Amino acid sequence: MEEAQILNSKKGLDLVDNDMELYRILMETFVSDTKFEPEELKKLVAEKKNAEAASYVHAVKGAGRQIGTEKLAEAGQKLEDVLRGKANGDIDFLSKKVVAEYKAALEAVKSFLSE
């Protein structure tokens, strides 16, 4: 199996039938409308609001998945599964991983859009 990429634009384009205009719109929406704040995730986790934290992660994971941010999607899925009690794992470690992958994805998307 191939290693996940920060941004797999080929995969993202495949998801929208290679419609570059739509893909760019989705990317612009990811940059401008995705309301993901690392501090909010940290707060929800600290307050043991796992269901809310899972929903919060689910939203950014889904937005990223539809444009091909594979590492963010993977990290988000792992954290979401632990928060929902479907898997075991270190929530603090996984939260930091999601934050790091979100930041990397955001930079990759901005870079793509500037080309």
Side-chain angles (χ1 to χ4, degrees):
M1 188 170 160
E2 287 183 30
E3 184 178 335
Q5 297 177 33
I6 293 171
L7 176 62
N8 183 339
S9 55
K10 180 184 179 332
K11 183 177 181 180
L13 275 164
D14 286 347
L15 292 171
V16 293
D17 293 327
N18 292 309
D19 183 335
M20 181 58 87
E21 184 178 349
L22 175 57
Y23 186 58
R24 291 184 74 85
I25 290 168
L26 291 172
M27 293 182 106
E28 288 164 1
T29 300
F30 179 80
V31 170
S32 64
D33 293 356
T34 301
K35 303 294 184 233
F36 182 76
E37 298 293 334
E39 289 305 313
E40 179 65 16
L41 176 60
K42 191 184 290 186
K43 180 176 160 258
L44 291 170
V45 167
E47 294 173 356
K48 305 273 190 241
K49 293 182 177 176
N50 288 6
E52 289 175 47
S55 293
Y56 196 69
V57 170
H58 179 81
V60 73
K61 175 196 75 178
R65 183 172 277 155
Q66 74 180 3
I67 58 172
T69 59
E70 295 174 329
K71 286 189 174 192
L72 174 59
E74 278 184 8
Q77 187 66 59
K78 286 177 184 171
L79 177 57
E80 185 182 349
D81 287 348
V82 172
L83 289 166
R84 293 194 191 281
K86 296 178 181 179
N88 293 320
D90 182 331
I91 291 173
D92 289 331
F93 172 80
L94 293 171
S95 295
K96 287 176 184 159
K97 181 88 171 132
V98 168
V99 168
E101 295 302 346
Y102 171 73
K103 289 178 180 177
L106 194 59
E107 288 309 309
V109 170
K110 286 178 181 178
S111 176
F112 183 94
L113 288 171
S114 71
E115 290 174 6

